[in-house]
Amino acid sequence: MKVWIESKGNRIRASDKSLVYYFCIGWLLLLFVAVFLLLNLRQLLVTDWTDFNLLHVGITWTAYNSITVLITTGVCALVAFLYYRY
């Protein structure tokens, strides 16, 4: 137990700076996709996946889609601010 208390861990060196950026970008991208899918879950559940074809899909951009993108971007911006702050 004494070893656990005295160990301060490894410090992040200047050469590891890009690893911190990649970690933050990866988590923010994962968070963006997760929140976006949760906000559009009802639309995904109603979709008939047996007759789904990417070549003939009629994607329409609605106001709801714009709002979900704005909410998701806001959540990611808040988390990025908290990463930076703490």
Coordinates of all heavy atoms in Angstrom, one line a residue:
M1 N 0.8 -1.2 0.0 CA 0.0 0.0 0.0 C 0.9 1.3 0.0 O 0.5 2.3 -0.6 CB -0.9 0.0 1.2 CG -1.9 1.0 1.3 SD -3.1 0.8 -0.1 CE -4.1 2.2 0.1
K2 N 2.0 1.2 0.6 CA 2.9 2.3 0.7 C 3.4 2.7 -0.7 O 3.6 3.9 -1.0 CB 4.1 2.0 1.6 CG 4.9 3.2 2.0 CD 5.9 2.8 3.0 CE 6.7 4.1 3.4 NZ 7.7 3.8 4.4
V3 N 3.6 1.7 -1.6 CA 4.1 2.0 -2.9 C 3.0 2.8 -3.7 O 3.3 3.7 -4.5 CB 4.4 0.7 -3.7 CG1 4.8 0.9 -5.1 CG2 5.6 -0.1 -3.0
W4 N 1.8 2.5 -3.5 CA 0.7 3.1 -4.2 C 0.6 4.6 -3.8 O 0.4 5.5 -4.6 CB -0.6 2.5 -3.8 CG -1.8 3.1 -4.4 CD1 -2.6 4.0 -3.7 CD2 -2.3 3.0 -5.7 NE1 -3.6 4.5 -4.6 CE2 -3.5 3.8 -5.8 CE3 -2.0 2.3 -6.8 CZ2 -4.2 3.9 -6.9 CZ3 -2.7 2.4 -7.9 CH2 -3.8 3.2 -8.0
I5 N 0.9 4.9 -2.5 CA 0.8 6.3 -2.0 C 2.0 7.1 -2.6 O 1.8 8.3 -2.9 CB 0.7 6.3 -0.5 CG1 -0.6 5.7 0.0 CG2 0.9 7.7 0.0 CD1 -0.7 5.5 1.5
E6 N 3.2 6.6 -2.6 CA 4.4 7.3 -3.0 C 4.5 7.4 -4.5 O 5.2 8.3 -5.0 CB 5.6 6.6 -2.4 CG 5.7 6.7 -0.9 CD 6.9 6.0 -0.4 OE1 7.8 5.5 -1.2 OE2 7.0 5.8 0.9
S7 N 3.9 6.6 -5.3 CA 4.0 6.7 -6.7 C 3.2 7.9 -7.3 O 2.0 8.0 -7.0 CB 3.5 5.4 -7.3 OG 3.5 5.5 -8.7
K8 N 3.9 8.7 -8.0 CA 3.2 9.9 -8.6 C 2.8 9.6 -10.1 O 2.3 10.5 -10.7 CB 4.2 11.1 -8.5 CG 4.4 11.6 -7.1 CD 5.2 12.8 -7.1 CE 5.3 13.3 -5.7 NZ 6.0 14.5 -5.6
G9 N 3.2 8.5 -10.6 CA 2.8 8.2 -12.0 C 3.8 8.8 -13.0 O 4.8 9.4 -12.7
N10 N 3.5 8.6 -14.2 CA 4.3 9.2 -15.3 C 3.7 10.5 -15.8 O 2.5 10.7 -15.9 CB 4.3 8.2 -16.5 CG 4.9 6.9 -16.2 OD1 5.8 6.8 -15.4 ND2 4.4 5.8 -16.8
R11 N 4.6 11.4 -16.0 CA 4.2 12.8 -16.5 C 4.1 12.8 -18.0 O 4.8 12.0 -18.7 CB 5.2 13.8 -16.0 CG 5.3 13.9 -14.5 CD 5.9 15.2 -14.1 NE 6.0 15.2 -12.7 CZ 5.4 16.2 -12.0 NH1 4.8 17.1 -12.6 NH2 5.4 16.2 -10.7
I12 N 3.2 13.6 -18.5 CA 3.1 13.8 -19.9 C 4.2 14.7 -20.4 O 4.3 15.8 -20.0 CB 1.7 14.3 -20.3 CG1 0.6 13.4 -19.8 CG2 1.6 14.6 -21.8 CD1 -0.8 14.0 -19.9
R13 N 5.0 14.1 -21.3 CA 6.1 14.9 -21.9 C 5.6 15.7 -23.1 O 4.5 15.5 -23.6 CB 7.2 14.0 -22.3 CG 7.8 13.2 -21.2 CD 9.0 12.4 -21.6 NE 9.6 11.8 -20.5 CZ 9.7 10.5 -20.3 NH1 9.2 9.7 -21.2 NH2 10.3 10.1 -19.2
A14 N 6.4 16.7 -23.5 CA 6.1 17.5 -24.6 C 5.9 16.7 -25.9 O 5.1 17.0 -26.8 CB 7.1 18.6 -24.8
S15 N 6.6 15.6 -26.0 CA 6.5 14.7 -27.2 C 5.2 13.9 -27.2 O 4.8 13.4 -28.2 CB 7.7 13.7 -27.2 OG 7.7 12.9 -26.1
D16 N 4.6 13.8 -26.0 CA 3.3 13.1 -25.9 C 2.1 14.0 -26.1 O 1.0 13.6 -25.9 CB 3.2 12.4 -24.6 CG 4.2 11.3 -24.4 OD1 4.7 10.8 -25.5 OD2 4.6 11.0 -23.3
K17 N 2.3 15.3 -26.5 CA 1.3 16.2 -26.6 C 0.2 15.8 -27.6 O -1.0 16.0 -27.4 CB 1.8 17.6 -26.9 CG 0.9 18.7 -26.8 CD 1.7 20.0 -27.1 CE 0.8 21.2 -26.9 NZ 1.5 22.5 -27.2
S18 N 0.6 15.3 -28.7 CA -0.3 14.9 -29.7 C -1.2 13.7 -29.3 O -2.3 13.6 -29.7 CB 0.4 14.5 -31.0 OG 1.3 13.3 -30.8
L19 N -0.7 12.9 -28.4 CA -1.5 11.8 -27.8 C -2.7 12.3 -27.0 O -3.8 11.8 -27.1 CB -0.6 10.9 -27.0 CG 0.5 10.1 -27.7 CD1 1.3 9.3 -26.7 CD2 -0.1 9.2 -28.7
V20 N -2.4 13.4 -26.3 CA -3.5 14.0 -25.6 C -4.6 14.6 -26.5 O -5.8 14.4 -26.3 CB -3.0 15.1 -24.6 CG1 -4.1 15.9 -23.9 CG2 -2.0 14.6 -23.6
Y21 N -4.1 15.2 -27.6 CA -5.1 15.7 -28.6 C -5.9 14.6 -29.2 O -7.1 14.7 -29.4 CB -4.4 16.6 -29.6 CG -3.8 17.9 -29.1 CD1 -2.6 18.3 -29.5 CD2 -4.5 18.7 -28.3 CE1 -2.0 19.5 -29.1 CE2 -4.0 19.9 -27.8 CZ -2.8 20.3 -28.2 OH -2.3 21.5 -27.8
Y22 N -5.2 13.5 -29.6 CA -5.9 12.4 -30.2 C -6.9 11.8 -29.3 O -8.0 11.4 -29.7 CB -4.9 11.3 -30.7 CG -4.0 11.8 -31.9 CD1 -2.8 11.2 -32.0 CD2 -4.5 12.7 -32.8 CE1 -2.0 11.6 -33.1 CE2 -3.7 13.1 -33.9 CZ -2.5 12.5 -34.0 OH -1.7 12.9 -35.1
F23 N -6.5 11.7 -28.0 CA -7.5 11.1 -27.0 C -8.7 12.0 -26.9 O -9.8 11.5 -26.9 CB -6.7 11.0 -25.6 CG -7.7 10.7 -24.5 CD1 -8.1 9.4 -24.3 CD2 -8.1 11.7 -23.6 CE1 -8.9 9.0 -23.3 CE2 -9.0 11.3 -22.6 CZ -9.4 10.0 -22.4
C24 N -8.5 13.3 -26.8 CA -9.7 14.2 -26.7 C -10.5 14.2 -27.9 O -11.7 14.2 -27.8 CB -9.2 15.6 -26.4 SG -8.4 15.8 -24.7
I25 N -9.9 14.2 -29.1 CA -10.7 14.2 -30.3 C -11.4 12.9 -30.5 O -12.6 12.9 -30.9 CB -9.7 14.5 -31.5 CG1 -9.3 15.9 -31.5 CG2 -10.4 14.2 -32.9 CD1 -8.2 16.3 -32.5
G26 N -10.8 11.8 -30.1 CA -11.5 10.5 -30.2 C -12.7 10.4 -29.3 O -13.7 10.0 -29.7
W27 N -12.5 10.9 -28.1 CA -13.7 10.8 -27.1 C -14.8 11.8 -27.5 O -16.0 11.5 -27.4 CB -13.2 11.1 -25.7 CG -12.8 9.9 -25.0 CD1 -11.5 9.5 -24.7 CD2 -13.6 8.8 -24.6 NE1 -11.5 8.3 -24.1 CE2 -12.7 7.8 -24.0 CE3 -14.9 8.5 -24.7 CZ2 -13.2 6.6 -23.5 CZ3 -15.4 7.3 -24.2 CH2 -14.6 6.4 -23.6
L28 N -14.4 13.0 -28.0 CA -15.4 13.9 -28.5 C -16.2 13.4 -29.7 O -17.4 13.6 -29.8 CB -14.8 15.3 -28.8 CG -14.3 16.1 -27.5 CD1 -13.6 17.3 -28.0 CD2 -15.5 16.4 -26.6
L29 N -15.5 12.8 -30.6 CA -16.1 12.2 -31.8 C -17.1 11.0 -31.3 O -18.2 11.0 -31.8 CB -15.1 11.7 -32.8 CG -15.7 11.1 -34.1 CD1 -16.3 12.2 -34.9 CD2 -14.5 10.5 -34.9
L30 N -16.6 10.2 -30.4 CA -17.5 9.1 -29.9 C -18.7 9.7 -29.2 O -19.8 9.2 -29.3 CB -16.7 8.2 -29.0 CG -17.4 7.0 -28.4 CD1 -17.7 6.0 -29.5 CD2 -16.6 6.4 -27.3
L31 N -18.5 10.8 -28.4 CA -19.6 11.4 -27.7 C -20.6 12.0 -28.7 O -21.8 11.9 -28.5 CB -19.1 12.5 -26.8 CG -20.1 13.3 -26.0 CD1 -20.8 12.4 -24.9 CD2 -19.4 14.5 -25.4
F32 N -20.1 12.7 -29.8 CA -20.9 13.3 -30.8 C -21.8 12.2 -31.4 O -23.0 12.4 -31.5 CB -20.1 13.9 -31.8 CG -20.9 14.7 -32.9 CD1 -21.3 16.0 -32.7 CD2 -21.2 14.0 -34.1 CE1 -22.0 16.6 -33.6 CE2 -22.0 14.7 -35.0 CZ -22.4 16.0 -34.8
V33 N -21.2 11.1 -31.8 CA -22.0 10.0 -32.4 C -23.0 9.4 -31.4 O -24.2 9.2 -31.8 CB -21.1 8.9 -33.0 CG1 -21.8 7.7 -33.4 CG2 -20.3 9.5 -34.1
A34 N -22.6 9.2 -30.2 CA -23.6 8.6 -29.2 C -24.7 9.5 -28.9 O -25.9 9.1 -28.9 CB -22.8 8.3 -27.9
V35 N -24.5 10.8 -28.7 CA -25.6 11.8 -28.4 C -26.5 11.9 -29.7 O -27.7 11.9 -29.6 CB -25.1 13.1 -28.0 CG1 -26.2 14.2 -27.9 CG2 -24.3 13.0 -26.6
F36 N -25.9 12.0 -30.8 CA -26.7 12.1 -32.1 C -27.6 10.9 -32.3 O -28.8 11.0 -32.6 CB -25.8 12.3 -33.3 CG -26.5 12.7 -34.5 CD1 -27.0 13.9 -34.7 CD2 -26.7 11.7 -35.5 CE1 -27.7 14.3 -35.9 CE2 -27.4 12.0 -36.7 CZ -27.9 13.3 -36.9
L37 N -27.0 9.7 -32.0 CA -27.9 8.5 -32.2 C -29.0 8.4 -31.1 O -30.1 8.0 -31.4 CB -27.0 7.2 -32.1 CG -26.1 7.0 -33.3 CD1 -25.2 5.8 -33.1 CD2 -26.9 6.8 -34.6
L38 N -28.7 8.9 -29.9 CA -29.7 8.8 -28.9 C -30.8 9.8 -29.2 O -32.0 9.5 -28.9 CB -29.1 9.2 -27.5 CG -28.3 8.1 -26.8 CD1 -27.6 8.6 -25.6 CD2 -29.2 6.9 -26.5
L39 N -30.5 11.0 -29.7 CA -31.5 11.9 -30.1 C -32.4 11.5 -31.3 O -33.5 11.9 -31.4 CB -30.9 13.3 -30.4 CG -30.4 14.0 -29.1 CD1 -29.7 15.3 -29.5 CD2 -31.5 14.3 -28.1
N40 N -31.8 10.6 -32.1 CA -32.5 10.2 -33.3 C -32.9 8.7 -33.2 O -33.2 8.0 -34.2 CB -31.6 10.4 -34.6 CG -31.5 11.8 -34.9 OD1 -32.4 12.5 -35.0 ND2 -30.2 12.2 -35.1
L41 N -33.0 8.2 -32.0 CA -33.3 6.8 -31.8 C -34.7 6.4 -32.3 O -34.9 5.4 -32.9 CB -33.2 6.5 -30.3 CG -33.3 5.0 -29.9 CD1 -32.1 4.2 -30.5 CD2 -33.2 4.9 -28.4
R42 N -35.7 7.3 -32.1 CA -37.0 7.0 -32.5 C -37.1 6.8 -34.0 O -37.7 6.0 -34.6 CB -38.0 8.1 -32.1 CG -39.4 7.8 -32.4 CD -40.3 8.9 -31.9 NE -39.8 10.2 -32.4 CZ -40.5 11.3 -32.2 NH1 -41.7 11.3 -31.6 NH2 -40.0 12.4 -32.6
Q43 N -36.4 7.7 -34.7 CA -36.3 7.7 -36.2 C -35.6 6.4 -36.7 O -36.0 5.8 -37.7 CB -35.6 8.9 -36.7 CG -35.8 9.1 -38.2 CD -35.1 10.4 -38.6 OE1 -34.3 11.0 -37.9 NE2 -35.5 10.9 -39.8
L44 N -34.6 6.0 -36.0 CA -33.9 4.8 -36.3 C -34.7 3.5 -36.1 O -34.6 2.5 -36.8 CB -32.6 4.7 -35.6 CG -31.5 5.7 -36.0 CD1 -30.3 5.6 -35.0 CD2 -31.1 5.4 -37.4
L45 N -35.5 3.5 -35.0 CA -36.3 2.4 -34.7 C -37.5 2.2 -35.7 O -38.0 1.1 -35.9 CB -36.9 2.4 -33.3 CG -35.8 2.3 -32.2 CD1 -36.5 2.5 -30.8 CD2 -35.2 0.9 -32.2
V46 N -38.0 3.3 -36.2 CA -39.1 3.2 -37.2 C -38.7 2.8 -38.6 O -39.5 2.3 -39.3 CB -39.8 4.6 -37.2 CG1 -40.9 4.7 -38.3 CG2 -40.4 4.9 -35.8
T47 N -37.4 3.0 -38.9 CA -36.9 2.7 -40.2 C -37.0 1.2 -40.5 O -36.7 0.3 -39.7 CB -35.4 3.1 -40.3 OG1 -35.3 4.5 -40.0 CG2 -34.9 2.8 -41.7
D48 N -37.5 0.9 -41.7 CA -37.6 -0.5 -42.2 C -36.3 -0.9 -42.8 O -35.9 -0.5 -43.9 CB -38.7 -0.6 -43.3 CG -38.9 -2.0 -43.7 OD1 -38.5 -3.0 -43.0 OD2 -39.5 -2.2 -44.8
W49 N -35.5 -1.7 -42.0 CA -34.1 -2.0 -42.4 C -34.1 -3.1 -43.5 O -33.1 -3.4 -44.1 CB -33.3 -2.4 -41.2 CG -33.1 -1.2 -40.3 CD1 -33.7 -0.9 -39.1 CD2 -32.2 -0.1 -40.6 NE1 -33.3 0.2 -38.6 CE2 -32.4 0.8 -39.5 CE3 -31.4 0.3 -41.6 CZ2 -31.7 2.0 -39.4 CZ3 -30.7 1.5 -41.5 CH2 -30.8 2.3 -40.4
T50 N -35.2 -3.9 -43.6 CA -35.2 -4.9 -44.6 C -35.3 -4.4 -46.0 O -34.8 -5.0 -47.0 CB -36.4 -5.9 -44.3 OG1 -37.6 -5.1 -44.4 CG2 -36.2 -6.6 -43.0
D51 N -35.9 -3.2 -46.2 CA -36.1 -2.7 -47.5 C -35.2 -1.4 -47.7 O -35.4 -0.6 -48.5 CB -37.5 -2.3 -47.7 CG -37.8 -2.0 -49.2 OD1 -37.2 -2.6 -50.1 OD2 -38.7 -1.1 -49.5
F52 N -34.1 -1.3 -46.9 CA -33.2 -0.1 -46.9 C -32.2 -0.3 -48.0 O -31.5 -1.3 -48.1 CB -32.5 0.0 -45.6 CG -31.7 1.2 -45.5 CD1 -32.3 2.5 -45.3 CD2 -30.3 1.2 -45.5 CE1 -31.6 3.6 -45.2 CE2 -29.6 2.3 -45.4 CZ -30.2 3.5 -45.2
N53 N -32.0 0.7 -48.8 CA -31.0 0.7 -49.9 C -30.4 2.1 -50.0 O -31.1 3.1 -50.1 CB -31.7 0.4 -51.3 CG -30.7 0.2 -52.4 OD1 -29.5 0.4 -52.2 ND2 -31.2 -0.2 -53.5
L54 N -29.1 2.2 -49.8 CA -28.4 3.4 -49.8 C -28.4 4.2 -51.1 O -28.3 5.4 -51.2 CB -26.9 3.2 -49.4 CG -26.6 3.0 -47.9 CD1 -25.2 2.7 -47.7 CD2 -27.1 4.2 -47.1
L55 N -28.6 3.4 -52.2 CA -28.6 4.1 -53.6 C -30.0 4.8 -53.8 O -30.0 5.8 -54.5 CB -28.4 3.1 -54.7 CG -27.0 2.4 -54.7 CD1 -26.9 1.3 -55.7 CD2 -25.9 3.5 -54.9
H56 N -31.0 4.3 -53.2 CA -32.3 4.9 -53.4 C -33.0 5.4 -52.2 O -34.2 5.6 -52.1 CB -33.3 3.8 -54.0 CG -32.8 3.2 -55.3 ND1 -32.7 3.9 -56.5 CD2 -32.3 2.0 -55.6 CE1 -32.2 3.2 -57.4 NE2 -31.9 2.0 -56.9
V57 N -32.2 5.8 -51.2 CA -32.7 6.4 -50.0 C -33.0 7.9 -50.2 O -32.2 8.6 -50.8 CB -31.7 6.1 -48.8 CG1 -30.5 6.9 -49.0 CG2 -32.4 6.5 -47.5
G58 N -34.1 8.3 -49.7 CA -34.5 9.7 -49.9 C -34.3 10.4 -48.6 O -35.1 10.5 -47.7
I59 N -33.0 10.9 -48.4 CA -32.7 11.6 -47.1 C -33.2 13.0 -47.2 O -32.9 13.8 -48.1 CB -31.2 11.6 -46.9 CG1 -30.7 10.1 -46.8 CG2 -30.8 12.4 -45.7 CD1 -29.2 10.0 -46.7
T60 N -34.0 13.4 -46.3 CA -34.5 14.7 -46.2 C -34.0 15.4 -45.0 O -34.0 14.8 -43.9 CB -36.1 14.8 -46.2 OG1 -36.5 14.0 -45.1 CG2 -36.6 14.2 -47.5
W61 N -33.5 16.6 -45.1 CA -33.0 17.4 -43.9 C -34.1 18.2 -43.3 O -34.7 19.1 -44.0 CB -31.8 18.2 -44.4 CG -31.1 18.8 -43.3 CD1 -31.2 20.0 -42.7 CD2 -30.1 18.1 -42.5 NE1 -30.3 20.2 -41.7 CE2 -29.7 19.0 -41.5 CE3 -29.6 16.8 -42.5 CZ2 -28.7 18.7 -40.5 CZ3 -28.6 16.5 -41.5 CH2 -28.2 17.4 -40.6
T62 N -34.4 17.9 -42.1 CA -35.6 18.6 -41.4 C -35.0 19.5 -40.4 O -33.8 19.5 -40.1 CB -36.5 17.6 -40.8 OG1 -35.8 16.8 -39.8 CG2 -37.1 16.6 -41.9
A63 N -35.9 20.3 -39.8 CA -35.5 21.2 -38.7 C -35.1 20.4 -37.5 O -34.2 20.8 -36.7 CB -36.7 22.1 -38.4
Y64 N -35.7 19.2 -37.3 CA -35.4 18.4 -36.2 C -33.9 17.9 -36.3 O -33.2 17.9 -35.3 CB -36.3 17.2 -36.1 CG -36.0 16.3 -34.9 CD1 -36.4 16.6 -33.6 CD2 -35.3 15.1 -35.1 CE1 -36.1 15.8 -32.5 CE2 -35.1 14.2 -34.0 CZ -35.4 14.6 -32.7 OH -35.1 13.8 -31.7
N65 N -33.5 17.6 -37.5 CA -32.1 17.2 -37.7 C -31.2 18.3 -37.4 O -30.1 18.1 -36.8 CB -31.9 16.7 -39.1 CG -32.6 15.4 -39.4 OD1 -33.1 14.7 -38.5 ND2 -32.6 15.0 -40.6
S66 N -31.5 19.5 -37.8 CA -30.7 20.7 -37.5 C -30.6 20.9 -36.0 O -29.5 21.2 -35.5 CB -31.2 21.9 -38.2 OG -31.3 21.7 -39.6
I67 N -31.7 20.8 -35.3 CA -31.7 21.0 -33.9 C -30.8 20.0 -33.2 O -30.1 20.3 -32.2 CB -33.1 21.1 -33.3 CG1 -33.8 22.3 -33.9 CG2 -33.2 21.0 -31.8 CD1 -35.3 22.3 -33.6
T68 N -30.9 18.7 -33.6 CA -30.2 17.6 -32.9 C -28.7 17.8 -33.2 O -27.9 17.6 -32.3 CB -30.6 16.2 -33.4 OG1 -30.5 16.2 -34.8 CG2 -32.0 15.9 -33.0
V69 N -28.3 18.3 -34.4 CA -26.9 18.6 -34.6 C -26.4 19.7 -33.8 O -25.3 19.7 -33.2 CB -26.6 18.9 -36.1 CG1 -25.3 19.5 -36.4 CG2 -26.8 17.6 -37.0
L70 N -27.2 20.8 -33.6 CA -26.8 21.9 -32.7 C -26.7 21.5 -31.2 O -25.8 21.9 -30.5 CB -27.8 23.0 -32.8 CG -27.8 23.8 -34.2 CD1 -28.9 24.8 -34.2 CD2 -26.5 24.5 -34.3
I71 N -27.6 20.6 -30.8 CA -27.6 20.2 -29.4 C -26.3 19.3 -29.2 O -25.6 19.4 -28.2 CB -28.9 19.4 -29.0 CG1 -30.0 20.3 -29.0 CG2 -28.7 18.6 -27.7 CD1 -31.4 19.7 -28.8
T72 N -26.1 18.4 -30.1 CA -24.9 17.5 -30.0 C -23.6 18.3 -30.1 O -22.7 18.0 -29.3 CB -25.0 16.5 -31.2 OG1 -26.2 15.8 -31.2 CG2 -23.9 15.5 -31.0
T73 N -23.6 19.3 -30.9 CA -22.4 20.2 -31.0 C -22.2 20.9 -29.7 O -21.1 21.1 -29.2 CB -22.5 21.1 -32.2 OG1 -22.7 20.4 -33.4 CG2 -21.2 21.9 -32.3
G74 N -23.3 21.4 -29.1 CA -23.2 22.1 -27.8 C -22.7 21.2 -26.7 O -21.9 21.6 -25.8
V75 N -23.2 19.9 -26.7 CA -22.7 19.0 -25.6 C -21.2 18.7 -25.8 O -20.5 18.7 -24.8 CB -23.5 17.7 -25.7 CG1 -22.9 16.6 -24.9 CG2 -25.0 17.9 -25.3
C76 N -20.8 18.6 -27.0 CA -19.4 18.3 -27.3 C -18.5 19.5 -26.9 O -17.4 19.4 -26.4 CB -19.1 17.9 -28.7 SG -19.7 16.3 -29.1
A77 N -19.0 20.7 -27.2 CA -18.3 22.0 -26.8 C -18.2 22.1 -25.3 O -17.2 22.5 -24.8 CB -19.0 23.2 -27.4
L78 N -19.3 21.7 -24.6 CA -19.3 21.8 -23.1 C -18.2 20.8 -22.6 O -17.5 21.2 -21.7 CB -20.7 21.5 -22.6 CG -20.8 21.5 -21.1 CD1 -20.5 22.8 -20.5 CD2 -22.1 20.9 -20.7
V79 N -18.2 19.6 -23.1 CA -17.3 18.6 -22.6 C -15.8 19.0 -23.0 O -14.9 18.9 -22.2 CB -17.6 17.2 -23.2 CG1 -16.5 16.2 -22.9 CG2 -18.9 16.7 -22.6
A80 N -15.6 19.6 -24.2 CA -14.3 20.1 -24.5 C -13.9 21.2 -23.6 O -12.7 21.3 -23.2 CB -14.3 20.6 -26.0
F81 N -14.8 22.1 -23.2 CA -14.5 23.2 -22.2 C -14.1 22.6 -20.9 O -13.1 23.0 -20.3 CB -15.6 24.1 -22.1 CG -15.5 25.1 -21.0 CD1 -14.6 26.2 -21.2 CD2 -16.1 25.0 -19.8 CE1 -14.4 27.1 -20.2 CE2 -16.0 25.9 -18.8 CZ -15.1 27.0 -19.0
L82 N -14.8 21.5 -20.5 CA -14.5 20.9 -19.2 C -13.1 20.2 -19.3 O -12.4 20.2 -18.3 CB -15.6 19.9 -18.8 CG -16.9 20.6 -18.4 CD1 -18.0 19.6 -18.1 CD2 -16.7 21.5 -17.2
Y83 N -12.8 19.5 -20.4 CA -11.5 19.0 -20.6 C -10.4 20.0 -20.4 O -9.4 19.8 -19.8 CB -11.4 18.4 -22.0 CG -11.8 16.9 -22.2 CD1 -12.2 16.5 -23.4 CD2 -11.9 16.0 -21.1 CE1 -12.6 15.2 -23.6 CE2 -12.3 14.8 -21.3 CZ -12.6 14.3 -22.5 OH -13.0 13.0 -22.7
Y84 N -10.6 21.2 -21.1 CA -9.6 22.2 -21.0 C -9.5 22.8 -19.6 O -8.4 23.1 -19.1 CB -10.0 23.3 -22.0 CG -9.1 24.5 -22.0 CD1 -7.8 24.4 -22.6 CD2 -9.5 25.7 -21.4 CE1 -7.0 25.5 -22.6 CE2 -8.6 26.8 -21.4 CZ -7.4 26.7 -22.0 OH -6.5 27.7 -22.0
R85 N -10.7 23.0 -19.0 CA -10.7 23.6 -17.6 C -10.1 22.8 -16.6 O -9.3 23.2 -15.7 CB -12.1 23.9 -17.3 CG -12.3 24.5 -15.9 CD -12.2 26.0 -16.0 NE -12.6 26.6 -14.7 CZ -11.9 27.5 -14.1 NH1 -10.9 28.1 -14.7 NH2 -12.3 28.0 -12.9
Y86 N -10.4 21.5 -16.6 CA -9.9 20.6 -15.5 C -8.8 19.6 -16.1 O -8.3 18.8 -15.4 CB -11.0 19.8 -14.9 CG -12.0 20.7 -14.3 CD1 -13.3 20.9 -14.8 CD2 -11.7 21.4 -13.1 CE1 -14.2 21.7 -14.2 CE2 -12.6 22.2 -12.5 CZ -13.9 22.4 -13.0 OH -14.8 23.2 -12.4

